[in-house]
Amino acid sequence: MEAALRLTSTSRSLSSLGLRELAREAGLNPNTFYRHFKDVDDLGLALIRDIAGRLRQPLRELRREAAQRAVTGEAEVAPRLFGIDLGRGRRVCQETVQLFFDFVEAHPETFIIGVRELHGASPVLRAALRELMDAFGADMAEDILEFQLLPPLVDREVVLRISNLVSRNLFQMSLDYLSEPGQREAIRRLAEEQVLMLFTGASVLQALGQLQRAPVASEQA
């Protein structure tokens, strides 16, 4: 697994790895691979599980700490729109986005490989990474509801849909953040703005009764 991470942390995809190349990088006999994995996709799934273990709970703990600080911190005068506490929402957004990108900077290979394989050649790995993105979105939605970061009029389904969009968008932006060090401040600010627009827009549309339910999979097909 470490050999695969080294080989794919620049511009390679997991599906492009050859078993002999991988074994040579790991310093092992090629036959050793099959004692642990059925094929390269099986190795990729193990790496995705490892990525989930490295990222999911630590990121959630950082976000919850930021939300808790905003909830218990000193109140500030800010406008309210359709029941949205814009001041508190902005504080949580700024801090959690900064914490996310700090985490990206500390774990660059993990994000590079994860985002690349999300658009890679293997349908197995793409599906597994989509599930991981949805899990990040579900964590975010639970925290938003628990800390009441949106007004009660926004129902759980809408919170989950927007959280999934935010999760995917932040992970896509992680590549730009890593590859363009001189633009990191601008990328962070853009991410904050997009998160605020998505949640505020959804809140306003729901309040006005203009937000439709998402179609089920069969309808989309």
Side-chain angles (χ1 to χ4, degrees):
M1 289 173 64
E2 291 175 358
L5 285 172
R6 288 195 297 272
L7 290 170
T8 58
S9 62
T10 52
S11 60
R12 301 283 300 280
S13 67
L14 285 169
S15 58
S16 72
L17 295 181
L19 294 186
R20 291 188 178 278
E21 176 189 22
L22 187 58
R24 183 169 58 250
E25 178 69 21
L28 299 171
N29 185 294
N31 292 330
T32 304
F33 178 89
Y34 292 105
R35 297 178 188 173
H36 304 280
F37 307 105
K38 295 182 296 183
D39 50 30
V40 173
D41 275 353
D42 195 31
L43 169 64
L45 290 174
L47 286 171
I48 290 170
R49 287 192 293 270
D50 183 61
I51 288 172
R54 293 187 189 191
L55 301 185
R56 186 175 177 184
Q57 190 59 35
L59 277 176
R60 185 170 195 188
E61 289 173 357
L62 290 172
R63 182 175 58 247
R64 290 173 66 84
E65 289 171 7
Q68 185 65 50
R69 283 193 292 271
V71 169
T72 59
E74 182 179 346
E76 60 183 62
V77 178
R80 283 180 175 265
L81 180 66
F82 293 93
I84 307 168
D85 187 338
L86 295 176
R88 185 158 66 98
R90 184 174 292 278
R91 290 199 306 277
V92 174
C93 179
Q94 289 175 339
E95 189 165 351
T96 54
V97 167
Q98 182 62 63
L99 289 170
F100 173 79
F101 284 122
D102 287 346
F103 203 82
V104 169
E105 191 172 359
H107 303 81
E109 295 86 358
T110 300
F111 283 88
I112 290 170
I113 293 168
V115 176
R116 183 188 300 128
E117 296 303 325
L118 187 61
H119 305 284
S122 169
V124 173
L125 299 185
R126 291 200 306 270
L129 283 163
R130 284 195 297 269
E131 289 181 6
L132 179 57
M133 296 295 98
D134 289 344
F136 280 114
D139 289 345
M140 184 185 302
E142 287 182 15
D143 295 340
I144 287 169
L145 292 166
E146 179 180 340
F147 288 96
Q148 299 179 345
L149 298 175
L150 290 175
L153 61 90
V154 185
D155 64 41
R156 183 177 295 271
E157 179 192 343
V158 171
V159 175
L160 180 58
R161 284 161 57 187
I162 302 303
S163 295
N164 283 339
L165 286 173
V166 169
S167 174
R168 298 283 183 95
N169 192 49
L170 285 175
F171 272 80
Q172 295 289 352
M173 295 180 81
S174 69
L175 292 187
D176 291 337
Y177 191 84
L178 289 170
S179 63
E180 301 180 39
Q183 297 297 315
R184 286 180 177 176
E185 179 67 15
I187 292 168
R188 183 182 61 78
R189 289 185 179 275
L190 177 61
E192 291 173 7
E193 181 180 313
Q194 290 176 346
V195 172
L196 285 171
M197 286 194 296
L198 281 169
F199 281 113
T200 304
S203 301
V204 173
L205 288 172
Q206 178 116 40
L208 296 175
Q210 298 296 310
L211 198 61
Q212 298 180 356
R213 292 179 63 86
V216 296
S218 59
E219 293 173 343
Q220 292 176 324

